[in-house]
Amino acid sequence: ILNVEQSPQSLHVQEGDSTNFTCSFPSSNFYALHWYRWETAKSPEALFVMTLNGDEKKKGRISATLNTKEGYSYLYIKGSQPEDSATYLCAFTEGGKLIFGQGTELSVKP
Amino acid sequence: NAGVTQTPKFQVLKTGQSMTLQCAQDMNHEYMSWYRQDPGMGLRLIHYSVGAGITDQGEVPNGYNVSRSTTEDFPLRLLSAAPSQTSVYFCASRGQGIRNEKLFFGSGTQLSVL
């Protein structure tokens, strides 16, 4: 089973700050990289699924980039808001199954 | 439009008891999976299936059994519950046709084993 690493484990920012997280994954046999947003007491919801090296995806103030050759993806949040507080998970597709990282817990203070 | 339906939402078991967590999806998804969520450990894959009649182990399969007799259903069985299986369990499914298919999650089952 491969290793998907996320950093930092947790992050506390002020409203209006911009922030970013990292997801590292094995660079060989790449298929797809997923990002999910997981609010407390809810189920994870997909933000992005990225399949091509150099991919950039954007959804409102949240964007993500992908480097399959070096095995990392960045998730950016511009102008964080309290409603962005959640755990952000990345997942790597390997042999048909999705393996998740341990997540980055973001807390945005008003 | 039900999506992924998990039952029950909450369950308390005594050590050694058995139970089945139910998962059903109505999106004709080939891929179905079970994850457990423990503090600081994200989601860990228990078992998964890429189609009816096909199942395989994930990262933490010990103590759990699965079967996939239909495309719609993917139950997770605990044969003899242990306190280490206290966790929140999520079922998730997706299509397999294209690379950028996202996972759809059920609402979760909070299981306590005493």
Side-chain angles (χ1 to χ4, degrees):
Chain A
I1 297 288
L2 53 86
N3 223 15
V4 181
E5 299 284 344
Q6 289 188 249
S7 62
Q9 190 169 349
S10 64
L11 201 52
H12 299 267
V13 301
Q14 291 292 131
E15 182 175 355
D17 287 349
S18 293
T19 186
N20 65 85
F21 330 129
T22 304
C23 174
S24 301
F25 53 86
S27 55
S28 58
N29 298 319
F30 177 82
Y31 189 75
L33 191 283
H34 298 226
W35 281 101
Y36 291 82
R37 183 171 180 271
W38 192 5
E39 292 180 76
T40 303
K42 295 186 177 180
S43 301
E45 291 187 350
L47 286 170
F48 309 113
V49 182
M50 308 173 79
T51 59
L52 298 175
N53 184 45
D55 246 355
E56 291 189 27
K57 301 274 189 181
K58 189 174 181 182
K59 188 175 184 178
R61 293 178 292 99
I62 304 177
S63 60
T65 61
L66 178 68
N67 184 324
T68 62
K69 296 190 185 307
E70 296 183 37
Y72 64 84
S73 176
Y74 293 138
L75 187 78
Y76 300 92
I77 302 180
K78 184 177 178 183
S80 301
Q81 300 296 308
E83 57 264 31
D84 295 328
S85 296
T87 296
Y88 292 83
L89 296 164
C90 70
F92 181 75
T93 305
E94 187 240 13
K97 59 184 180 284
L98 270 79
I99 302 297
F100 281 84
Q102 73 273 38
T104 293
E105 187 177 354
L106 175 67
S107 174
V108 183
K109 290 189 176 180
Chain B
N1 192 358
V4 181
T5 303
Q6 258 184 265
T7 56
K9 288 191 183 301
F10 302 96
Q11 183 71 50
V12 179
L13 293 177
K14 293 181 180 178
T15 297
Q17 285 185 314
S18 63
M19 78 159 295
T20 300
L21 278 63
Q22 301 291 346
C23 177
Q25 52 88 14
D26 61 359
M27 298 173 280
N28 202 32
H29 284 168
E30 299 94 335
Y31 178 91
M32 296 187 74
S33 53
W34 279 101
Y35 292 88
R36 60 177 287 173
Q37 182 243 332
D38 301 294
M41 303 190 79
L43 292 170
R44 292 186 292 169
L45 181 65
I46 304 171
H47 286 283
Y48 68 102
S49 167
V50 296
I54 305 168
T55 63
D56 207 345
Q57 296 181 349
E59 300 167 277
V60 289
N62 292 341
Y64 307 94
N65 278 355
V66 291
S67 59
R68 185 92 180 270
S69 55
T70 67
T71 299
E72 293 77 21
D73 300 297
F74 191 46
L76 179 72
R77 297 181 185 87
L78 284 70
L79 297 178
S80 179
S84 61
Q85 293 178 306
T86 294
S87 188
V88 181
Y89 293 83
F90 286 95
C91 178
S93 72
R94 69 173 189 150
Q96 288 277 80
I98 54 178
R99 287 174 70 179
N100 61 352
E101 289 273 5
K102 61 183 180 181
L103 271 180
F104 292 84
F105 284 84
S107 56
T109 297
Q110 190 167 319
L111 175 67
S112 294
V113 182
L114 306 177

